[in-house]
Amino acid sequence: RVSCAVCTDFDLCPECFACGAEIGPHKNNHKYYFSNNGNFSIFPKSPTQEEKGRRRASIVPADQCDGDEWNVREDHLLLDAVEMYGYGNWKDIARHVESKNESQVKERYIKRFINGAIGSHTWEEKLRGKA
């Protein structure tokens, strides 16, 4: 669960948090914390052929994840490391994440945070280098 640090006794499921849900006085720009230590993925897995038609959940217990699965804690460490070490310093970034290697952190960052839904809404190529 994701808990709001501003609203009293207010939690969101990962799906609602990822969608930026605003319910009652809760706003999506409020600070938050993970009330279960972040052992779930905020990016839902694509269903396999046999899973199509069944409801999917993006919560993936850590003990069921293989090396390609990421949880919220690892994504958070990835984003912190890119901010600390700079884009492209994959060796240092992987060392910071600890559970992933250089190619995994590079692939994850590019796939989810540049080319994915987040990047498509936040990245403007014409503004590169002007920050």
Side-chain angles (χ1 to χ4, degrees), residues 8-104:
T8 306
D9 196 30
F10 186 85
D11 294 342
L12 287 168
C13 68
E15 290 85 0
C16 293
F17 174 74
C19 292
E22 294 187 334
I23 303 166
H26 174 73
K27 301 298 177 207
N28 62 17
N29 63 349
H30 287 174
K31 294 184 183 232
Y32 60 89
Y33 60 94
F34 300 108
S35 49
N36 73 346
N37 296 325
N39 273 337
F40 57 89
S41 174
I42 59 172
F43 299 104
K45 290 174 62 174
S46 296
T48 62
Q49 193 63 28
E50 62 192 39
E51 292 173 329
K52 289 192 183 207
R54 288 190 342 200
R55 184 172 178 225
R56 3 173 238 185
S58 62
I59 298 174
V60 179
D63 61 346
Q64 295 177 9
C65 292
D66 61 26
D68 293 333
E69 297 293 334
W70 285 69
N71 63 38
V72 170
R73 186 179 316 117
E74 292 166 328
D75 277 326
H76 188 250
L77 288 169
L78 173 63
L79 294 173
D80 278 348
V82 170
E83 184 176 356
M84 287 190 319
Y85 302 113
Y87 178 84
N89 292 321
W90 304 117
K91 185 175 184 177
D92 292 332
I93 292 167
R95 204 175 350 207
H96 186 78
V97 174
E98 294 180 342
S99 59
K100 305 295 180 186
N101 63 38
E102 292 175 49
S103 62
Q104 288 172 316

Side-chain angles (χ1 to χ4, degrees), residues 68 70 78 90 101-113:
D68 293 333
W70 285 69
L78 173 63
W90 304 117
N101 63 38
E102 292 175 49
S103 62
Q104 288 172 316
V105 296
K106 178 181 179 180
E107 180 182 336
R108 178 66 167 196
Y109 191 78
I110 292 170
K111 180 179 178 184
R112 295 295 186 180
F113 300 105

